[in-house]
């Protein structure tokens, strides 16, 4: 596939249904059983930190950031990050993550966590969380629990179970 020009913009209320349909196509009904969804069920994503990608008028990707607390430390949970399968490997996912991280940093957030593949997210500044320091309300492969400090040293204060803020 050739590189396609895409546009990133803040997710708007009218994007909710297309994002949900994309989420359903990419992750299927099993997505609700995932641990990160337990947090997302209790706390909405911050619209000022959530983006969509469009090719023309077609919504082809989305990222969301949900405010959480890890123990008493405020943080964000990145995800879901979704890209229409036919548009993958075009830099859309990475651009969405970077936009969300930049917006979070500009808004004063210091720490972001996610559950994902380290080789992919490491390119955007994520690394594996120290075992036992941060947990989620349900089973998570500790190899997939990643963090990104938007302010150096921010992880040190985060200890305990993540929950919706």
């Amino acid at each position: 596939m050739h590189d396609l020009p895409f546009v990133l913009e803040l997710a708007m209320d009218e994007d909710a249904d297309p994002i949900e349909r994309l989420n359903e196509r990419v992750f299927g009904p099993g997505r609700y059983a995932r641990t990160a969804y337990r947090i997302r069920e209790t706390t909405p994503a911050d619209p000022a930190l959530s983006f969509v990608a469009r090719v023309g008028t077609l919504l082809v990707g989305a990222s969301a950031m949900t405010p959480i607390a890890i123990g008493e430390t405020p943080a964000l949970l990145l995800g879901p990050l979704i890209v229409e399968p036919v548009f993958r490997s075009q830099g859309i996912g990475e651009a969405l993550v970077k936009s969300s991280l930049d917006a979070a940093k500009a808004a004063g957030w210091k720490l972001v966590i996610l559950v994902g593949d380290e080789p992919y997210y490491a390119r955007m500044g994520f690394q594996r969380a120290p075992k036992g320091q941060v947990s989620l309300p349900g089973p998570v492969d500790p190899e997939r629990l990643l963090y990104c400090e938007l302010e150096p040293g921010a992880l040190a204060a985060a200890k305990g179970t993540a929950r919706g803020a």
Side-chain angles (χ1 to χ4, degrees):
M1 177 179 264
H2 299 287
D3 288 338
L4 293 171
F6 59 90
V7 175
L8 297 179
E9 48 196 22
L10 282 171
M12 306 300 280
D13 289 342
E14 57 267 21
D15 294 321
D17 287 340
I19 289 170
E20 182 57 30
R21 287 192 301 273
L22 177 58
N23 217 338
E24 186 175 327
R25 282 192 305 278
V26 171
F27 293 115
R31 68 191 180 279
Y32 295 113
R34 294 179 176 193
T35 297
Y37 273 88
R38 293 182 186 173
I39 293 172
R40 293 185 198 119
E41 288 173 348
T42 64
T43 306
D46 185 333
L49 309 176
S50 302
F51 290 84
V52 295
R54 297 182 200 284
V55 172
T57 59
L58 182 64
L59 189 145
V60 299
S63 64
M65 290 276 225
T66 301
I68 63 170
I70 303 169
E72 299 304 314
T73 303
L76 292 166
L77 174 65
L78 174 64
L81 171 66
I82 46 176
V83 177
E84 190 74 62
V86 73
F87 290 99
R88 290 185 182 158
S89 299
Q90 301 294 315
I92 293 170
E94 190 169 337
L96 285 163
V97 171
K98 286 182 178 180
S99 292
S100 286
L101 291 174
D102 289 347
K105 186 171 185 170
W109 290 93
K110 299 175 182 177
L111 181 65
V112 179
I113 66 167
L114 62 79
V115 178
D117 296 323
E118 186 178 17
Y120 177 76
Y121 288 101
R123 300 188 308 235
M124 293 156 268
F126 285 87
Q127 55 191 312
R128 192 173 307 143
K131 284 190 172 120
Q133 183 170 344
V134 177
S135 62
L136 292 175
V140 171
D141 178 352
E143 306 290 310
R144 295 176 48 80
L145 183 54
L146 309 177
Y147 75 96
C148 178
E149 292 179 319
L150 303 178
E151 179 179 289
L155 182 68
K159 292 178 176 55
T161 301
R163 66 185 186 289

